Amino acid sequence: LTVSAAALGGIPEVGVGVDLAGVLAAAAETVGGLRDGDILVVAHKVVSKAEGRVRHLSDVRPGEPARRLAAEQDKDPRHVQVVLDEAADLVRAERGVLICRTRHGFVCANAGVDASNAPTAGTVVLLPEDPDASARRLRARLRDLTASAPAVLVTDSFGRAWRHGQSEVAIGCAGLSPLDDWRGRPDAGGRTLRATWIAVADQVAAAADLARAKDSREPAVVVRGLERHVTVQDGPGAAALLRGPAEDLFR
Amino acid sequence: LTVSAAALGGIPEVGVGVDLAGVLAAAAETVGGLRDGDILVVAHKVVSKAEGRVRHLSDVRPGEPARRLAAEQDKDPRHVQVVLDEAADLVRAERGVLICRTRHGFVCANAGVDASNAPTAGTVVLLPEDPDASARRLRARLRDLTASAPAVLVTDSFGRAWRHGQSEVAIGCAGLSPLDDWRGRPDAGGRTLRATWIAVADQVAAAADLARAKDSREPAVVVRGLERHVTVQDGPGAAALLRGPAEDLFR
């Protein structure tokens, strides 16, 4: 079995309201066009920009909690206000990083609010309002444009509790089984696998990230060879990957 | 840029003392043989088995703490004793899972002690004593056998604090830069990237895992297209990915 990940070139800076599916379908021509069974992996920033999920810091009036936290953590109080607006819960604030649970349920730094690769200085990019819905819309539009139905993944890079560095994870998906459950199935020796429950969508996000450089305009990658995980139905989305607060072992 | 991951077929059950590098080099002939710039990703279980890191439960005398914990968590007290032997620290015990910090510093379920894909019933497989050293030894032996020096990654699948499912991560590596640090480098718009520090080794582990099925005897995968992360020197190993207890935000 061979799995491949190829970055799509030629994607211009994306502005609000752009037909992102059209841009992606055109860019995919460089890798032979999109086909059924492909997984199109898209960094959330272009999705957020196309959806207008950008805030100008000059429009933000930080409240008292944001000012206090910003002073404590040596951050811009307007940026902190946007983070608090996006956060359901502040998990931890330490060394300038605000680890939040977002309104979607993702636990990540700064509630996903980020200034790098923002459209202009003084703006920050937010996560999409509903990344699973973003993935479903992109997939539906790609189906119209290309007569094929690749799975669509929307991704971001998250830190990890016990390991250095970030890994790309799925924050939205459509047409991909996000988890592959081997619990109860036999291993190669016929013994029952107990805890094997593979986060396929996150592994696909990580694989795709390896195919692009962070300074290049390559927000999209086509992953091939994983037809077995691609579904006709859009499925449960990346929401299925979330541990709810009740299952969180670290509260 | 295209990255590919291909599983190696034809790897027999590995016993203690086997020349694992020889087995892997032979299996790699099915993908054109190993070359400089390749990354050979090996599931730790075959490494552990070749190194004799297997315990027979019938040889284990559980002590009082293991008996108590086993009763509480509804587990085999002998298995729990082996877990405690491998653990430097029990982080949390809940719903039958013992989340431990291993002596190496990995935070994972059951200190990496696992019965699935074990050589025979009644045995459990441990993590290698020093997975970075295992990777270095495999790489040195592959260099002798094949006159090429692929990077070597030793991997295991770990759960995550806030997300369901497991993702494959690097527990040992040689010849691969485990982290790619973009902090301070410019993004596509010329703005400084603040927090971009990519866990390359973990993403390679995840990509490789997608190329194999858990019930197949495919413990090894060759990843190509990442020559830019492969180094002549063996480098710091997967130990560089560990957050020390002092940096752990969740204690």
Side-chain angles (χ1 to χ4, degrees):
Chain A
L1 175 61
T2 299
V3 174
S4 70
L8 304 185
I11 297 178
E13 179 66 28
V14 164
V16 59
V18 93
D19 175 17
L20 182 58
V23 169
L24 295 171
E29 290 304 317
T30 58
V31 295
L34 293 170
R35 312 171 205 154
D36 288 340
D38 284 354
I39 307 171
L40 178 63
V41 183
V42 189
H44 87 85
K45 271 199 191 141
V46 289
V47 177
S48 293
K49 289 180 198 175
E51 294 179 352
R53 294 279 292 161
V54 172
R55 300 263 316 257
H56 291 262
L57 293 179
S58 59
D59 296 342
V60 178
R61 307 260 148 176
E64 191 41 42
R67 287 174 189 278
R68 210 178 323 119
L69 197 52
E72 255 172 54
Q73 300 292 325
D74 192 23
K75 294 178 79 79
D76 182 328
R78 302 167 304 169
H79 190 165
V80 171
Q81 183 60 55
V82 180
V83 170
L84 294 181
D85 292 346
E86 292 296 304
D89 195 12
L90 180 63
V91 178
R92 207 60 68 102
E94 221 165 304
R95 279 162 276 162
V97 179
L98 309 178
I99 300 175
C100 301
R101 188 178 301 272
T102 68
R103 285 177 291 100
H104 328 81
F106 304 119
V107 177
C108 59
N110 302 322
V113 175
D114 195 358
S116 47
N117 287 310
T120 52
T123 61
V124 289
V125 182
L126 319 181
L127 297 184
E129 189 81 42
D130 179 346
D132 281 326
S134 303
R136 288 193 297 268
R137 279 195 300 269
L138 278 173
R139 190 181 199 214
R141 176 87 180 122
L142 287 168
R143 195 186 276 121
D144 289 346
L145 290 170
T146 68
S148 68
V152 174
L153 226 62
V154 177
T155 68
D156 194 8
S157 53
F158 283 5
R160 291 90 51 83
W162 302 293
R163 296 174 74 81
H164 285 308
Q166 289 124 31
S167 188
E168 200 80 5
V169 298
I171 64 169
C173 82
L176 183 79
S177 303
L179 290 154
D180 187 19
D181 198 347
W182 284 79
R183 292 171 298 179
R185 290 196 253 174
D187 68 12
R191 274 176 300 280
T192 300
L193 290 164
R194 268 167 217 285
T196 303
W197 193 31
I198 306 166
V200 171
D202 288 336
Q203 296 202 144
V204 173
D209 193 50
L210 291 170
R212 57 198 172 92
K214 288 285 170 189
D215 65 343
S216 68
R217 294 195 196 278
E218 291 176 336
V221 173
V222 172
V223 175
R224 291 186 165 138
L226 294 171
E227 293 75 7
R228 70 189 189 280
H229 298 299
V230 176
T231 57
V232 174
Q233 300 297 318
D234 287 336
L241 290 159
L242 296 180
R243 253 184 224 278
E247 298 170 296
D248 185 337
L249 297 176
F250 299 91
R251 288 169 69 89
Chain B
L1 178 61
T2 299
V3 174
S4 69
L8 304 185
I11 297 178
E13 179 68 25
V14 165
V16 60
V18 93
D19 175 16
L20 182 58
V23 169
L24 296 171
E29 290 303 318
T30 58
V31 296
L34 292 171
R35 311 170 206 154
D36 287 340
D38 284 354
I39 306 170
L40 178 63
V41 183
V42 189
H44 87 86
K45 270 196 193 144
V46 289
V47 177
S48 293
K49 288 180 198 173
E51 295 180 351
R53 293 279 291 161
V54 172
R55 300 259 323 251
H56 292 263
L57 293 179
S58 58
D59 296 342
V60 177
R61 308 260 148 177
E64 190 43 42
R67 287 173 189 278
R68 210 179 322 122
L69 197 52
E72 255 173 53
Q73 300 292 326
D74 193 24
K75 294 177 79 79
D76 182 329
R78 301 167 305 169
H79 190 165
V80 171
Q81 183 61 55
V82 180
V83 171
L84 294 181
D85 292 346
E86 292 296 303
D89 195 12
L90 180 63
V91 177
R92 208 62 69 101
E94 222 163 305
R95 279 162 277 164
V97 180
L98 308 178
I99 300 175
C100 301
R101 188 179 301 270
T102 68
R103 285 178 292 99
H104 329 79
F106 304 119
V107 178
C108 60
N110 301 323
V113 175
D114 196 358
S116 48
N117 286 311
T120 51
T123 61
V124 290
V125 181
L126 318 181
L127 297 185
E129 188 81 42
D130 179 347
D132 281 326
S134 303
R136 289 192 298 268
R137 278 194 301 271
L138 278 172
R139 190 181 198 215
R141 176 86 178 122
L142 287 168
R143 196 186 275 125
D144 289 346
L145 290 170
T146 68
S148 68
V152 174
L153 227 61
V154 177
T155 69
D156 194 10
S157 53
F158 282 6
R160 291 90 51 85
W162 303 292
R163 298 175 72 81
H164 285 309
Q166 289 124 31
S167 187
E168 199 80 5
V169 298
I171 63 169
C173 81
L176 183 79
S177 302
L179 290 154
D180 187 19
D181 196 348
W182 284 80
R183 292 171 299 179
R185 289 196 253 175
D187 68 11
R191 271 174 304 279
T192 299
L193 291 164
R194 269 167 216 286
T196 305
W197 193 30
I198 307 166
V200 171
D202 288 337
Q203 296 201 145
V204 173
D209 193 51
L210 292 169
R212 57 200 172 93
K214 290 283 172 191
D215 65 343
S216 67
R217 294 197 197 275
E218 291 177 335
V221 173
V222 172
V223 175
R224 290 183 166 142
L226 293 172
E227 293 76 7
R228 69 188 188 282
H229 298 299
V230 176
T231 56
V232 174
Q233 299 297 317
D234 287 337
L241 290 159
L242 296 180
R243 253 183 225 278
E247 299 170 297
D248 185 336
L249 298 175
F250 300 91
R251 287 171 71 89

